[in-house]
């Protein structure tokens, strides 16, 4: 039997609400009562295959990688193991990624499951075809139930730029699947292939988040095993705080009396014993707990990414124009990555964790903002430590022993590793090519574009100005050659 009724719920509006403002539509005090979709395992294993095509990736965090994610909530009445196999094609090339679900599986209860795969932007931005095979192994006649599954690219606006990279890579596994910000009200069989017979399962209460506006499951029959919201009164239950304990049912017309009787309902509201937080755990992790600068909005994160890439391009062009080649110039990025990965024994330099090549994060070693390009002196780091190091100088991040070790691996002298200043070679090239920099490089339409009231070229110019402060004044340098100030940036002269 197909769960037609699951398709009738109101979809949220297409425009996503920014996590920086509380959501207009939801206060955290609303809920939907839904039915899970159930499947009876006839044998000791079953594979569910999901397929999507034409997925456009969003470049996330400071590396600008895309990300595909799959996940949802599963209930089982017997022990089982779960594994995932992702296959996808980009530009005609095929890739595979295998992932086992590592956490313990709660029996006779709900479990959060899912995984993600980062995809380098080098392969393009569109995934032509992607499938996920979710294989469940257990005993025959295990009854499985599913709710809030989705499969697609991660496109959370605030994940663009470098600010959320650090919290994202910390304790990621604990926050699957809700940290992907996928949809939560799609039927389980939305992308499911084949003839899989699903039936109607238990009722599940989906509560709203007042930040992201999503409806996410709460574990109303066993609240202490939280799913996507933390409890309000964990020890001093019952929760007596009206804002946190009862949730207005938004789809009363779709709910049968029999279903309703299983819940404690007061005045059209589902009552929770412990009460729940207003924000989902993802919004709590990213927007409430993370120490962030509240002045920055999603638009600014995007600009930061753009500026970072502009500086990368600038440094590369300056070196290329002047025939300062490095060993890997004519090889592919993959060969380069592999070289660095091998050099570090396939381990994160900071925590020594072993990782496959495609999970390595290449770190510049010396910061890009100070005009150091990604070259053979790069460091192999895991996601967590790459986000942690960010644009810091090695001497601000590593211990004395680590610096010595890093010097041996990278070939950079200890003096260089301990130095904190702009790359003098590139700075000299920039000064030599200052007319080109203003009249050609910054003239590109992309950099002349005004974003958030500010010309992008001004931002690039300002971030260079900050790091070379006291050494060179580029605009003056330009004027000494041409007799005028550059027009591709806004010059404010203080008298
Ligand atoms: Zn949320
Ligand atoms: Zn409470
Ligand atoms: Zn690490």
């Amino acid at each position: 039997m197909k769960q037609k009724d699951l398709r009738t719920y109101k979809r949220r509006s297409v425009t996503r609400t920014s996590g920086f403002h509380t959501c207009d539509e939801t206060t955290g005090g609303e809920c939907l009562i839904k039915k899970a979709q159930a499947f009876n395992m006839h044998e000791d294993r079953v594979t569910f295959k999901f397929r999507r095509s034409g997925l456009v990736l969003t470049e996330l965090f400071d590396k600008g990688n895309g990300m595909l994610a799959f996940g949802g909530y599963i209930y089982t009445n017997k022990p089982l193991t779960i594994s995932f196999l992702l296959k996808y094609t980009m530009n005609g090339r095929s890739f595979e990624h295998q992932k086992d679900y590592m956490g313990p599986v709660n029996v006779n209860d709900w479990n959060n499951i899912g995984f993600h795969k980062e995809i380098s932007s080098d392969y393009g931005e569109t995934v032509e075809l992607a499938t996920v095979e979710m294989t469940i192994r257990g005993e025959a006649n295990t009854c499985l139930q599913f709710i809030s599954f989705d499969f697609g690219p991660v496109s959370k606006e605030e994940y663009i730029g470098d600010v959320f990279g650090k919290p994202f890579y910390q304790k990621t596994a604990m926050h699957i699947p809700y940290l992907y910000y996928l949809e939560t009200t799609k039927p389980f069989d939305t992308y499911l292939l084949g003839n899989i017979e699903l039936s109607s399962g238990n009722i599940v209460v989906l509560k709203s988040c007042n930040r992201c506006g999503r409806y996410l499951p709460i574990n109303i029959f066993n609240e202490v095993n939280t799913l996507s919201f933390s409890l309000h009164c964990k020890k001093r239950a019952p929760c007596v705080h009206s804002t946190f304990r009862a949730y207005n049912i938004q789809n009363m017309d779709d709910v049968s009396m029999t279903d309703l009787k299983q819940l404690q309902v007061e005045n059209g509201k589902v009552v929770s014993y412990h009460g729940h937080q207003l924000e989902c755990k993802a919004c709590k992790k990213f927007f409430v707990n993370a120490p962030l600068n509240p002045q920055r909005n999603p638009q600014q994160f995007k600009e930061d990414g753009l500026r970072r890439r502009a500086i990368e391009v600038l440094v590369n062009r300056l070196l290329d124009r002047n025939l300062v080649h490095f060993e890997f110039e004519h090889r592919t990025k993959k060969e380069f990555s592999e070289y660095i990965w091998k050099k570090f024994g396939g381990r994160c330099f900071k925590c020594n964790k072993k990782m496959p090549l495609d999970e390595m994060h290449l770190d510049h070693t010396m910061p890009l903002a100070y005009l150091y390009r990604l070259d053979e002196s790069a460091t192999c780091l895991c996601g967590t430590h790459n986000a942690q190091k960010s644009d810091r100088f090695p001497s601000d991040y590593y211990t004395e022993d680590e610096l010595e070790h890093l010097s041996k691996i990278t070939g950079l002298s200890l003096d260089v590793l301990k130095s904190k200043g702009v790359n003098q070679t590139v700075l000299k090239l920039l000064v030599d090519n200052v007319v080109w920099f203003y009249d050609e490089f910054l003239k590109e339409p992309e950099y002349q574009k005004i974003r958030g009231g500010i010309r992008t070229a001004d931002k690039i110019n300002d971030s260079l100005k900050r790091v070379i402060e006291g050494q060179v004044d580029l605009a003056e340098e330009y004027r000494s050659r041409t007799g005028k100030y550059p027009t591709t940036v806004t010059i404010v002269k203080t008298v």
Side-chain angles (χ1 to χ4, degrees):
M1 188 185 76
K2 277 262 152 75
Q3 288 282 291
K4 282 259 162 48
D5 57 329
L6 285 169
R7 295 178 198 278
T8 61
Y9 295 128
K10 254 182 277 163
R11 287 280 166 89
R12 285 210 308 118
S13 58
V14 185
T15 31
R16 296 212 177 186
T17 324
S18 158
F20 283 82
H21 313 285
T22 38
C23 181
D24 297 336
E25 304 159 59
T26 56
T27 64
E30 297 83 16
C31 73
L32 295 172
I33 298 175
K34 298 191 59 166
K35 285 224 170 174
Q37 285 170 284
F39 178 81
N40 213 349
M41 280 172 66
H42 304 298
E43 291 158 45
D44 60 4
R45 61 178 285 171
V46 60
T47 295
F48 298 95
K49 189 170 179 179
F50 304 85
R51 182 173 64 193
R52 293 204 65 184
S53 59
L55 302 174
V56 178
L57 300 175
T58 301
E59 296 187 8
L60 306 175
F61 308 127
D62 59 336
K63 294 293 166 198
N65 286 342
M67 192 181 288
L68 279 181
F70 173 85
Y73 303 80
I74 182 171
Y75 184 104
T76 175
N77 63 348
K78 287 176 188 171
L80 46 81
T81 62
I82 305 165
S83 61
F84 306 105
L85 177 62
L86 169 72
K87 293 181 184 172
Y88 58 99
T89 55
M90 296 181 79
N91 283 318
R93 294 175 62 180
S94 300
F95 302 88
E96 270 192 33
H97 176 70
Q98 164 84 43
K99 183 90 189 167
D100 293 328
Y101 172 75
M102 300 307 272
V105 176
N106 301 313
V107 176
N108 289 318
D109 206 348
W110 285 98
N111 297 276
N112 297 29
I113 60 165
F115 74 100
H116 65 271
K117 175 75 180 90
E118 268 181 64
I119 297 171
S120 164
S121 54
D122 298 345
Y123 297 121
E125 64 162 15
T126 308
V127 175
E128 284 126 33
L129 191 70
T131 59
V132 166
E133 290 168 38
M134 173 168 71
T135 299
I136 295 174
R137 293 177 180 83
E139 293 169 36
N141 293 317
T142 301
C143 181
L144 306 170
Q145 301 195 43
F146 307 98
I147 192 99
S148 297
F149 270 79
D150 195 10
F151 172 33
V154 176
S155 61
K156 179 74 173 158
E157 241 187 28
E158 292 83 354
Y159 287 179
I160 299 166
D162 59 352
V163 171
F164 288 103
K166 187 175 167 185
F168 184 90
Y169 290 107
Q170 282 171 348
K171 300 183 181 164
T172 314
M174 274 180 65
H175 297 282
I176 288 171
Y178 47 81
L179 92 164
Y180 301 134
Y181 284 92
L182 298 173
E183 278 191 45
T184 55
T185 53
K186 286 178 183 170
F188 180 67
D189 47 350
T190 306
Y191 307 117
L192 188 61
L193 297 177
N195 244 334
I196 302 241
E197 205 178 307
L198 297 167
S199 59
S200 182
N202 295 347
I203 54 171
V204 180
V205 176
L206 304 189
K207 188 184 93 66
S208 65
C209 166
N210 79 331
R211 289 232 166 208
C212 64
R214 289 182 299 171
Y215 282 87
L216 296 150
I218 55 172
N219 204 353
I220 198 77
F221 300 115
N222 183 23
E223 292 183 353
V224 287
N225 173 29
T226 60
L227 301 176
S228 39
F229 288 90
S230 298
L231 298 178
H232 190 249
C233 292
K234 196 175 177 185
K235 288 189 181 131
R236 290 193 188 168
C239 173
V240 293
H241 310 98
S242 57
T243 334
F244 303 97
R245 72 184 279 271
Y247 322 119
N248 222 317
I249 304 168
Q250 302 294 295
N251 62 331
M252 198 58 110
D253 295 348
D254 307 338
V255 187
S256 74
M257 279 312 288
T258 332
D259 289 345
L260 214 53
K261 274 188 191 143
Q262 300 178 49
L263 299 163
Q264 194 193 332
V265 179
E266 265 172 28
N267 305 323
K269 292 179 176 182
V270 172
V271 176
S272 145
Y273 184 67
H274 290 90
H276 293 83
Q277 302 286 349
L278 300 180
E279 308 88 13
C280 71
K281 286 197 225 173
C283 287
K284 190 119 190 144
K285 173 179 170 75
F286 291 110
F287 308 116
V288 182
N289 293 347
L292 300 164
N293 181 349
Q295 305 308 315
R296 305 173 88 207
N297 61 37
Q299 184 59 33
Q300 283 167 298
F301 296 139
K302 244 181 255 178
E303 285 162 15
D304 289 349
L306 191 78
R307 186 172 50 195
R308 198 184 153 84
R309 278 195 289 279
I311 296 206
E312 188 132 48
V313 173
L314 174 67
V315 172
N316 281 327
R317 290 224 189 124
L318 283 169
L319 291 167
D320 293 347
R321 275 166 63 86
N322 296 279
L323 303 169
V324 182
H325 288 309
F326 80 120
E327 201 187 333
F328 283 89
E329 188 148 49
H330 300 293
R331 304 207 202 159
T332 64
K333 191 154 174 201
K334 173 141 196 304
E335 286 170 314
F336 173 63
S337 300
E338 214 170 333
Y339 166 80
I340 300 292
W341 180 75
K342 280 188 181 149
K343 207 157 116 174
F344 283 82
R347 290 171 188 275
C348 169
F349 177 71
K350 187 71 185 175
C351 68
N352 214 30
K353 186 179 86 176
K354 231 180 150 68
M355 63 197 149
L357 177 59
D358 64 353
E359 278 172 32
M360 170 183 69
H361 287 243
L362 276 174
D363 176 71
H364 277 235
T365 307
M366 299 295 281
L368 171 67
Y370 288 80
L371 309 182
Y372 290 94
R373 82 150 130 193
L374 191 66
D375 62 13
E376 59 267 38
S377 70
T379 307
C380 167
L381 291 176
C382 71
T384 306
H385 290 110
N386 179 57
Q388 209 173 65
K389 178 176 176 289
S390 183
D391 240 345
R392 283 192 256 182
F393 279 104
S395 60
D396 288 335
Y397 184 63
Y398 298 114
T399 64
E400 193 75 14
D401 284 353
E402 285 170 341
L403 287 175
E404 248 171 68
H405 188 198
L406 190 59
S407 164
K408 281 185 194 130
I409 304 176
T410 60
L412 292 174
S413 73
L414 256 185
D415 284 347
V416 171
L417 280 176
K418 286 184 182 174
S419 68
K420 285 208 268 183
V422 68
N423 183 340
Q424 293 297 327
T425 313
V426 174
L427 179 58
K428 189 179 174 302
L429 289 171
L430 181 59
V431 173
D432 290 348
N433 294 280
V434 72
V435 178
W436 165 85
F437 170 65
Y438 283 115
D439 290 350
E440 285 179 52
F441 184 80
L442 287 183
K443 205 172 182 173
E444 280 193 32
E446 177 77 347
Y447 301 147
Q448 287 301 310
K449 227 186 197 155
I450 291 167
R451 296 174 166 90
I454 301 169
R455 185 150 47 150
T456 306
D458 284 344
K459 297 202 143 200
I460 299 167
N461 194 41
D462 284 349
S463 76
L464 287 172
K465 225 160 141 179
R466 260 198 307 279
V467 302
I468 60 178
E469 191 97 81
Q471 299 190 51
V472 196
D473 185 326
L474 290 176
E476 287 299 341
E477 212 39 70
Y478 177 95
R479 194 169 72 134
S480 74
R481 315 259 175 101
T482 62
K484 56 185 170 60
Y485 282 115
T487 55
T488 49
V489 292
T490 313
I491 304 286
V492 184
K493 278 279 117 187
T494 44
V495 193

